[in-house]
Amino acid sequence: MASPQQQKLKVHGPVAVTANRLTDGAVVWRTRGDGWSADLADAIIVTTADDAIALLAAAQKRDIDAVGAYVAPVVIEADGSVAPGNLRERIRVAGPTFELPH
Amino acid sequence: MYAYDEFDRAFLAERVADFRDQVARRLSGALNEDEFKPLRLMNGVYLQLHAYMLRIAIPYGTLSAHQLRRMAHVARTYDRGYGHFTTRQNIQFNWIKLEELPEAMAALGEVGVHGIQTSGNCIRNVTTDQWAGATPEECDDPRIWAEILRQYSTLHPEFTYLPRKFKIAIAASPHDRAAIKVHDVGLRLHRNAAGELGFEVLVGGGLGRTPFVGKSIRAFLPARELLSYIEAIMRVYNQYGRRDNIYKARIKILVHEIGAEAFAKAVEAEWEAIREGALHLSDEMIAEIRGRFIYPAYETLEDRPAELVEALKDERFATWFANSVHAHKVPGYSIVTISLKPVGAPPGDATADQMDVIADLADAYGFHEVRVGHEQNLCLPNIAQKDLPALWAALDAAGLATPNVNHISDIIACPGLDYCALANARAIPVAQEIAKRFADLDRSRGIGRLHVNISGCINACGHHHVGHIGILGVEKNGQEFYQITLGGRADEQAQLGTLLGPAVPYEQVPGLIEDVVDTYMELRAGPQELFIDTVARLGVEPFKERVYAAH
């Protein structure tokens, strides 16, 4: 089955590279210094397809820290903060949209 | 319950040890993700949106109280305190950590459960009626045959790398609770005119992006020929099934393209060559499997004992009894469905505490046995009627006595975009909102039997094609939209739903469903005409006119 991250790369605004941390599957974002952070605020943001492809290629070179890297849309808020760019990414950052059983 | 032997226990222990080593090598970097992914999938480990997910098979939907209690332990220790029962009689843990997976698997393996055959292009966990062995309707216990298939198919080298996954379901009652007509192979166990036990064999059913109702290719297959005939089907599929396109690789596409008649002919030819071989089931082999199923030591009891008659004076108990308690083959006993659809909760989820409560109740009243149905509810198949009042009180205290089984709020829903990496739209919140709209029990009882099935993408894990009302989430320009179908059904009269009209946005779905139901209430011939029968009588047009005029 094709998941969204397997679709053809189109960049129409700010994007970041995201993946899941190998050890626990947590959502992480590609940062400067070839690292990963669980905080979207730390992510490298690019705005062109070429830059996104380069960022993704670098992220995919080593898959022991994070897996399934792909390019995800983000939005830059008025105050300069970065937020997920679509519902899928909002859910990845914030978790399911309903109260979990407890 | 089926009693595993030493072979099973040793096999599972070895499997857990293998996986522990594979995880260690992955974490050390000795295995890369391309190498590791097929290994984890063969053990039921997926990577979802925010975490790994572990899918555990519950063969033919049968669980012991001990196993369920261990699942509660895994949910509490390695996950976030709950599990999700699926439409294929599996349970999923949604937040499990890779580094802790071997420990979780070891804990489950100790009680005989595992994730084998819950992923990958193999013969998946064989499913059947959750009332098996207890319902008076059945001609034989279908779990005997599901277990034979399980032993045959587990890690079968010839069928470990099929063109695609392969799902088999068995029904043994006239009323099909296993949805056999929408499986790759559906087996209808029945007796012929001579009283012999055998299967009608259906192939090529399935949902997903190309849904089909299965076609019958053999009206009666002697039961002892089950394995050789299944092997013949698998060989034909393995040889001719497409591997060039993942979307055309299921057996349903092959059957559709060459036709059921040609497919049956190829199977029969293959079968003739192998039917007298090693797969011929002897009476001794069947008896050995049958003998490993331990049935309850039922007492001699009367139907409707005094304790039950007295309790039925309580309106709340009586409502639950009428909705969730079903006839049993043994006098004085009942089958009890436990709704995992309390209004406003995620369909099919149970907390660790609830699992413990159900396990304790199964120990106290139900011969230690619990079942899982494809409708994402649980079942206690052997409850003495005299114990029903005490059972109900305990279930009610744990929030497990919602009397909405087969009502509109008893919704099948896949995890959808809230969890699933493949989904395009959410399913669970849609189900929750619809359930809230119909929370009034008098209203939902007045509506009667009505199955709403919701999928968050075309892969159809929520079985939307066969919901009386089907809801499919799609994505349009970054927004969630939902297509509605009416008239689908998954039972012995299985058929696919008909599209009602244009997709509507997320916010409009609950209101639209209310309009559909209101239209049914106005148009039905009388209170006895079920929703599905009104749609069959009138088609979708009257619904379309009314609903879309309002939206």
Side-chain angles (χ1 to χ4, degrees), chain B residues 30-247:
Chain B
L31 290 177
N32 65 33
E33 188 61 16
D34 287 342
E35 293 163 331
F36 180 65
K37 185 177 177 182
L39 300 174
R40 66 170 164 79
L41 287 175
M42 284 181 188
N43 288 285
V45 180
Y46 290 73
L47 185 55
Q48 297 283 65
L49 283 189
H50 357 242
Y52 290 95
M53 178 269 280
L54 173 61
R55 182 182 293 159
I56 294 295
I58 300 170
Y60 32 90
T62 296
L63 268 177
S64 69
H66 185 46
Q67 289 171 327
L68 183 58
R69 205 171 279 114
R70 187 59 62 93
M71 288 174 177
H73 164 75
V74 166
R76 195 176 280 123
T77 308
Y78 302 105
D79 208 87
R80 294 194 180 178
Y82 66 96
H84 174 75
F85 291 95
T86 77
T87 50
R88 292 214 76 254
Q89 299 181 314
N90 298 314
I91 185 171
Q92 296 181 175
F93 298 105
N94 286 306
W95 302 96
I96 211 129
K97 295 175 179 157
L98 181 63
E99 53 197 355
E100 294 180 351
L101 262 164
E103 287 305 312
M105 280 191 181
L108 293 165
E110 285 171 4
V111 295
V113 293
H114 52 76
I116 301 165
Q117 291 174 285
T118 64
S119 178
N121 296 335
C122 62
I123 296 178
R124 298 288 186 90
N125 183 34
V126 177
T127 56
T128 190
D129 185 354
Q130 67 270 27
W131 295 2
T135 175
E137 302 167 14
E138 71 189 13
C139 58
D140 189 31
D141 187 337
R143 294 173 304 161
I144 310 297
W145 307 97
E147 174 60 21
I148 288 171
L149 282 171
R150 186 193 72 80
Q151 293 190 16
Y152 157 76
S153 63
T154 298
L155 305 189
H156 192 305
E158 195 172 340
F159 308 132
T160 300
Y161 298 96
L162 293 167
R164 278 290 279 142
K165 57 187 171 184
F166 201 93
K167 299 174 180 176
I168 301 175
I170 308 175
S173 295
H175 179 52
D176 174 11
R177 280 174 289 271
I180 66 168
K181 290 190 174 180
V182 287
H183 279 73
D184 295 285
V185 165
L187 298 168
R188 185 176 69 83
L189 188 59
H190 63 288
R191 291 189 186 278
N192 64 11
E196 297 161 331
L197 200 60
F199 298 94
E200 180 187 7
V201 181
L202 300 106
V203 296
L207 301 174
R209 69 181 57 225
T210 317
F212 288 110
V213 172
K215 282 93 177 169
S216 179
I217 60 166
R218 188 167 244 279
F220 188 83
L221 173 75
R224 68 180 66 244
E225 311 292 352
L226 175 63
L227 292 188
S228 58
Y229 201 80
I230 290 291
E231 178 131 326
I233 291 172
M234 302 307 296
R235 285 186 175 188
V236 171
Y237 171 50
N238 220 352
Q239 184 172 1
Y240 298 111
R242 288 179 61 169
R243 293 174 185 267
D244 61 319
N245 183 337
I246 191 173
Y247 303 118

Side-chain angles (χ1 to χ4, degrees), chain B residues 306-328:
Chain B
E307 297 92 330
L308 174 60
V309 172
E310 180 63 25
L312 285 168
K313 294 174 184 169
D314 179 331
E315 191 179 345
R316 287 187 69 235
F317 174 80
T319 299
W320 173 80
F321 178 84
N323 175 262
S324 305
V325 179
H326 324 284
H328 198 283

